[in-house]
Amino acid sequence: MIPIGIIIVDYKSASDTIRYINNEISKISYPYRIAIVNNAATAASNKEYIDELGAILVDPSKNYTDSTDKIFIIPSHENLGFAKGNNLGADFIIKNFKCEYLLFSNNDIIIKHGDIVKKLIEKIEYDSNIGLIGPEVIGLDGERQSPEPFIPMSDRYVWMYILTPFISKDYKRKRFKLNYASIATEGYHYRVMGSFFIMPAKTFLEIGTMDSNTFLYAEEMIIAERLKRIGKKVYFYPHSTVIHAHGTTTKKHLGQKKISIIQSISEKYYYTNYCGVKNWKANLYLAIYNLISKFK
């Protein structure tokens, strides 16, 4: 059986990644190779991975196709962010191990079912229309975090807030599909949570990998749009579950204000480059949102 390639992008949280691999990835019954992209890497963090996991520090000038090791560290002195980091890890896995499938995962995940990878891959192999598949993702609050529908930028940044004083909570939930994830059933959806998902390596390359113009956020929507271009779809498989401590690392290192700025930049890029929203209109929506935010 050909191993799945697992890509984990880390930023100053080596101990969390080590714990995740030892406690959670070890539950997976499917064979795997792991590429840890160590953003803003230091000699100390690289050594921690080597000492605690027996990981191999990757030398870009070397070939690892004959290696029997399972865990590799790809250090980056700068913080590449989510898309570039995942692209770097996926490129290493694909070139060296010819993995047919890639699992992109955060390090703040609890895996509930050891056969999760096997089940997700079986579903992909059964349905050739699937370009990306994700399991049920539950937050620490017990609520589902995905799947999600397409949300127009005007709704996302303007109408959801302007209409709030004038409509009931029930109508707001229905109008803006706020309970979409909680009632979603197995099948095709616009997007799933980016914290844990699988793609065929061939499909990942066919869509042009992840869009490196984003640093953080909007990656799932961009992948959904890129998949549409090649006739593939996003699939939600709720019969396997992971628990996700959403935003733990970003909140610790960035703070809410910076997170909001980065998110709005990424989402503007997504809406203007993939959804046909004019640049002036996107700027207007963001200006209205920022104005509303001052009074929230």
Side-chain angles (χ1 to χ4, degrees), residues 220-284:
E220 306 103 315
M221 295 97 85
I222 290 173
I223 291 175
E225 292 296 329
R226 288 189 167 200
L227 285 171
K228 284 165 63 176
R229 294 174 179 176
I230 63 168
K232 298 287 185 177
K233 301 177 182 179
V234 174
Y235 198 89
F236 171 58
Y237 185 80
H239 309 297
S240 290
T241 304
V242 298
I243 309 298
H244 178 215
H246 183 56
T248 302
T249 301
T250 52
K251 288 176 183 176
K252 179 170 68 175
H253 293 292
L254 297 175
Q256 191 56 53
K257 185 176 181 180
K258 193 167 185 179
I259 287 172
S260 296
I261 293 171
I262 293 172
Q263 186 168 0
S264 64
I265 291 171
S266 294
E267 291 187 357
K268 177 190 173 185
Y269 176 82
Y270 152 69
Y271 280 115
T272 55
N273 286 274
Y274 290 90
C275 303
V277 176
K278 299 296 184 183
N279 191 63
W280 68 264
K281 192 173 285 188
N283 288 334
L284 176 62

Side-chain angles (χ1 to χ4, degrees), residues 55-76:
I56 302 301
L57 186 64
V58 169
D59 180 341
S61 66
K62 292 184 178 180
N63 185 297
Y64 294 88
T65 53
D66 295 326
S67 174
T68 58
D69 293 289
K70 292 176 65 175
I71 306 174
F72 298 84
I73 313 156
I74 306 172
S76 171

Side-chain angles (χ1 to χ4, degrees), residues 21-186:
I21 291 172
N22 283 334
N23 297 346
E24 304 302 327
I25 293 294
S26 61
K27 296 176 183 176
I28 294 176
S29 57
Y30 206 91
Y32 55 80
R33 300 290 182 102
I34 302 173
I36 303 168
V37 179
N38 189 12
N39 275 328
T42 62
S45 62
N46 289 334
K47 185 175 186 300
E48 192 174 356
Y49 283 124
I50 293 168
D51 292 346
E52 297 296 327
L53 297 175
I56 302 301
L57 186 64
V58 169
D59 180 341
S61 66
K62 292 184 178 180
N63 185 297
Y64 294 88
T65 53
D66 295 326
S67 174
T68 58
D69 293 289
K70 292 176 65 175
I71 306 174
F72 298 84
I73 313 156
I74 306 172
S76 171
H77 294 300
E78 65 174 307
N79 183 6
L80 299 174
F82 187 82
K84 284 183 180 179
N86 275 309
N87 286 344
L88 182 62
D91 181 68
F92 171 80
I93 289 288
I94 292 169
K95 285 182 177 178
N96 286 282
F97 305 114
K98 312 297 182 184
C99 294
E100 293 181 3
Y101 295 96
L102 302 173
L103 165 60
F104 297 92
S105 179
N106 286 13
N107 65 5
D108 52 0
I109 293 290
I110 297 172
I111 295 172
K112 301 295 287 183
H113 306 102
D115 63 351
I116 186 169
V117 168
K118 178 175 178 289
K119 293 292 187 183
L120 295 178
I121 288 178
E122 284 177 349
K123 198 68 183 181
I124 296 174
E125 293 181 341
Y126 175 78
D127 185 348
S128 61
N129 292 315
I130 298 174
L132 180 155
I133 190 168
E136 179 178 60
V137 180
I138 304 291
L140 297 178
D141 58 2
E143 298 292 325
R144 264 193 190 168
Q145 296 180 347
S146 77
E148 291 293 335
F150 171 75
I151 302 174
M153 190 176 188
S154 54
D155 280 1
R156 169 77 178 82
Y157 280 92
V158 180
W159 297 118
M160 194 180 297
Y161 305 101
I162 286 181
L163 293 179
T164 294
F166 308 105
I167 58 178
S168 68
K169 289 182 179 179
D170 286 341
Y171 181 76
K172 182 179 180 181
R173 279 193 291 269
K174 182 178 180 181
R175 167 68 176 79
F176 299 107
K177 301 179 180 178
L178 300 181
N179 62 340
Y180 187 95
S182 65
I183 62 174
T185 58
E186 179 181 348

